Amino acid sequence: MGFTTIDFIILVVYLGAVLFAGLHFSKKDMKGKEFFKGDGTIPWWVTSVSIFATLLSPISFLSLAGNSYGGTWILWFAQLGMLIAIPITIKFFLPIYSKLNIDTAYHYLELRFDSKALRVLGALMFIIYQIGRMSIIMYLPSMVLSKLMGINVNILIIVMGVIAIIYSYTGGLKSVLWTDFIQGTVLLIGVTFALIYLFSHIDGGAGAVFETLKQGKFLGAEEVLFDPNILKNSVFIIVVGAGFNTCSSYISSQDIVQRFTTTTDTKELNKMMLTNGALSIFIATVFYLIGTGLYVFYGQNPALAQTAQQDQIFASYIAYQLPVGITGILLAAIYAASQSTLSTGLNSVATSWTLDIQERLSKKEMSFEQQTKIAQYISLGVGIVAIAVSMILANGEIKSAYEWFNGFMGLVLGVLAGTFVLGVFTKVANSTGAFAAFAVSSIAMVFIKYNMPEVSIWSYSIISIGISLLVGIPVSYVSRKLKHDNTVPNSDTVIYE
């Protein structure tokens, strides 16, 4: 059936509703802290769904179902990394962030290491990573939707970017959180409906899908639960490695840490984290069931199979098999996954640039009005840059450059997290050790990425955090001895008695 006029109308109405909602929540004049942290009226459950919507990029939306359609459930175990990431974040990091009432993730680095330069460096790394991520997040789904809808890819990229820029620019974090909540809710309901509809059109229903899972579609014969060599793929290293990867996002990525700054109530922060974890594991399971369901469905109905690539199989099913109207809602959900990640990226980059870089390097203290204006201009400028880069990616067919950039940027958060771990878990660490750890960890991870392809990507965060500790602690110790430095860090910035 494909994408109909009714579906197009639904998509346009949905985008209009999101824009209206974003502008509605920005009616109050937001300045300074309110622009960056919200006005204290945002419920924890809204923030929780917002974290979920931010972490679930359209790349996940399109690829998770494709993974189980074309292969097994081995990568589903990455979601169980939440069971490691969430307890670590709740026990060790959230209490510190709450006590310090930090403005940004990298504010912590300045408070712990007494170093403006370390704060600026952390912010710069995050901003470069985030601009690349935003460009890719606009490019990938727009390419898929362009083929299904017959709409020029550049138009889709511009519309997506402009809507996100408008409500990020006008309403600050409050607008972003509430629109993320709407987008996340649409996504959850839409994808769950797609699963139920798919199972109802399979001969044998859910039973046929679970029977297929028993026949090697859950884990393949060569996929092992544990390999003593932790640099090779196994269920164990995927769970643990994904746990550290997710933990790295929670503790050192400004787009997530910014959500934690909306409240200093640790009970609310804990509820936020636990709900986000439950939603993430639930939606990943739904996506993997859809992928296996599509494998069974197209096996039973080969004449209906489109020639879509693995990562586009779910989008193809949405366009050609779902009822008219529902197709529009589901494609809107893919667009929603992009926009929520994009608007969050714009707001977090603007916040980090203004508070971590501009204010650190400014000779005079900036007023709240000046901070807000700078943040608005930055979100506008970065949004335009991201749209331009995305259009270059879409029109240049530079797939290898995209993979290279994404692979390289994926290393950033592990290296950043190593510096945070060094600060929180050791009292000997100083700024000299932190810079040394940052430099050695960065060089080592780039070398491993491009010269040791046999090393599992799931061990990257574990390796980078390990290197940060192995380098940072002795360098800090030696530099303290040489300087006769007996100072101790602020007790609120570390975990020790």
Side-chain angles (χ1 to χ4, degrees):
M1 194 176 301
F3 192 71
T4 66
T5 306
I6 293 171
D7 295 316
F8 180 75
I9 292 167
I10 287 170
L11 182 62
V12 170
V13 168
Y14 172 80
L15 292 175
V18 167
L19 183 57
F20 173 79
L23 293 173
H24 169 75
F25 289 112
S26 68
K27 277 195 292 196
K28 184 183 168 196
D29 194 18
M30 294 282 188
K31 284 195 175 64
K33 298 280 188 191
E34 287 190 353
F35 188 86
F36 303 122
K37 291 187 172 189
D39 58 2
T41 65
I42 306 159
W44 65 267
W45 41 270
V46 169
T47 311
S48 182
V49 174
S50 172
I51 297 174
F52 156 76
T54 298
L55 287 173
L56 186 81
S57 72
I59 301 167
S60 310
F61 196 118
L62 295 168
S63 66
L64 292 182
N67 285 344
S68 57
Y69 172 80
T72 66
W73 279 47
I74 181 84
L75 294 181
W76 172 81
F77 287 94
Q79 303 306 315
L80 299 188
M82 291 274 183
L83 304 178
I84 296 171
I86 289 173
I88 290 174
T89 308
I90 285 176
K91 179 153 179 61
F92 299 114
F93 291 90
L94 291 189
I96 286 178
Y97 292 171
S98 176
K99 270 191 287 188
L100 294 172
N101 195 17
I102 56 173
D103 292 331
T104 71
Y106 316 108
H107 186 189
Y108 168 78
L109 296 179
E110 182 183 1
L111 293 173
R112 168 62 182 85
F113 295 106
D114 191 25
S115 170
K116 286 183 181 179
L118 202 57
R119 179 174 183 176
V120 170
L121 176 64
L124 278 173
M125 291 282 282
F126 167 75
I127 288 167
I128 293 166
Y129 157 78
Q130 194 60 251
I131 290 173
R133 184 170 187 245
M134 285 190 290
S135 303
I136 291 160
I137 272 158
M138 282 194 279
Y139 151 67
L140 281 181
S142 296
M143 287 292 283
V144 173
L145 295 178
S146 170
K147 287 173 188 165
L148 294 176
M149 298 176 182
I151 298 173
N152 184 285
V153 67
N154 294 330
I155 294 171
L156 288 171
I157 289 171
I158 291 168
V159 169
M160 185 187 295
V162 167
I163 291 175
I165 287 169
I166 290 170
Y167 64 76
S168 301
Y169 179 94
T170 52
L173 187 63
K174 185 176 182 181
S175 253
V176 169
L177 290 177
W178 274 103
T179 46
D180 276 5
F181 174 74
I182 295 165
Q183 314 254 43
T185 305
V186 168
L187 198 148
L188 282 163
I189 294 169
V191 173
T192 305
F193 173 85
L195 175 69
I196 294 165
Y197 185 86
L198 172 61
F199 275 21
S200 70
H201 286 75
I202 290 173
D203 291 340
V209 174
F210 287 111
E211 197 55 45
T212 303
L213 285 175
K214 287 182 200 169
Q215 295 163 5
K217 201 71 177 138
F218 185 67
L219 277 180
E222 73 290 349
E223 292 168 340
V224 296
L225 292 176
F226 179 76
D227 190 316
N229 181 351
I230 63 159
L231 301 180
K232 288 191 174 173
N233 269 349
S234 68
V235 169
F236 172 79
I237 197 62
I238 287 173
V239 173
V240 175
F244 278 91
N245 284 352
T246 306
C247 196
S248 297
S249 288
Y250 283 152
I251 68 177
S252 67
S253 188
Q254 170 60 13
D255 51 349
I256 307 300
V257 175
Q258 193 169 5
R259 270 82 181 133
F260 303 149
T261 67
T262 59
T263 179
T264 54
D265 184 329
T266 47
K267 283 185 181 171
E268 290 216 339
L269 286 170
N270 293 351
K271 284 191 282 190
M272 201 187 290
M273 289 294 291
L274 293 168
T275 305
N276 165 58
L279 286 175
S280 299
I281 292 172
F282 167 76
I283 202 71
T285 306
V286 170
F287 277 128
Y288 273 86
L289 283 170
I290 285 172
T292 308
L294 290 172
Y295 175 81
V296 176
F297 175 78
Y298 286 124
Q300 293 176 351
N301 305 279
L304 297 177
Q306 303 295 319
T307 54
Q309 298 166 344
Q310 179 176 306
D311 282 356
Q312 295 178 13
I313 195 71
F314 184 32
S316 176
Y317 175 80
I318 291 169
Y320 295 104
Q321 303 304 328
L322 289 180
V324 172
I326 302 297
T327 295
I329 292 169
L330 261 293
L331 291 179
I334 295 178
Y335 221 64
S338 311
Q339 273 201 312
S340 58
T341 310
L342 180 60
S343 60
T344 295
L346 290 173
N347 189 266
S348 60
V349 166
T351 301
S352 196
W353 177 273
T354 307
L355 301 182
D356 291 321
I357 298 174
Q358 192 93 22
E359 200 169 40
R360 296 305 98 196
L361 302 178
S362 176
K363 296 280 191 287
K364 289 184 257 176
E365 196 169 328
M366 291 191 290
S367 67
F368 282 163
E369 284 81 2
Q370 285 174 309
Q371 287 179 348
T372 308
K373 268 284 164 253
I374 289 167
Q376 288 178 323
Y377 290 144
I378 291 295
S379 64
L380 178 63
V382 167
I384 292 167
V385 169
I387 289 171
V389 174
S390 188
M391 287 167 71
I392 291 167
L393 282 170
N395 294 287
E397 288 298 314
I398 39 179
K399 298 278 171 63
S400 59
Y402 149 66
E403 285 170 10
W404 180 88
F405 187 81
N406 203 28
F408 178 69
M409 286 299 131
L411 307 176
V412 171
L413 293 183
V415 173
L416 271 176
T419 314
F420 281 78
V421 169
L422 186 67
V424 168
F425 288 100
T426 72
K427 57 182 176 180
V428 72
N430 62 8
S431 59
T432 307
F435 275 114
F438 196 98
V440 174
S441 175
S442 300
I443 293 164
M445 294 316 298
V446 171
F447 178 82
I448 288 169
K449 169 71 181 170
Y450 298 109
N451 295 281
M452 301 174 71
E454 70 278 7
V455 175
S456 168
I457 59 166
W458 300 105
S459 58
Y460 282 5
S461 284
I462 300 169
I463 295 169
S464 57
I465 291 170
I467 290 172
S468 295
L469 293 172
L470 287 171
V471 172
I473 293 171
V475 170
S476 298
Y477 183 79
V478 170
S479 73
R480 278 175 174 275
K481 286 290 183 191
L482 291 173
K483 295 176 189 170
H484 305 291
D485 177 8
N486 295 315
T487 57
V488 292
N490 175 345
S491 60
D492 285 343
T493 64
V494 287
I495 298 286
Y496 68 91
E497 294 303 319

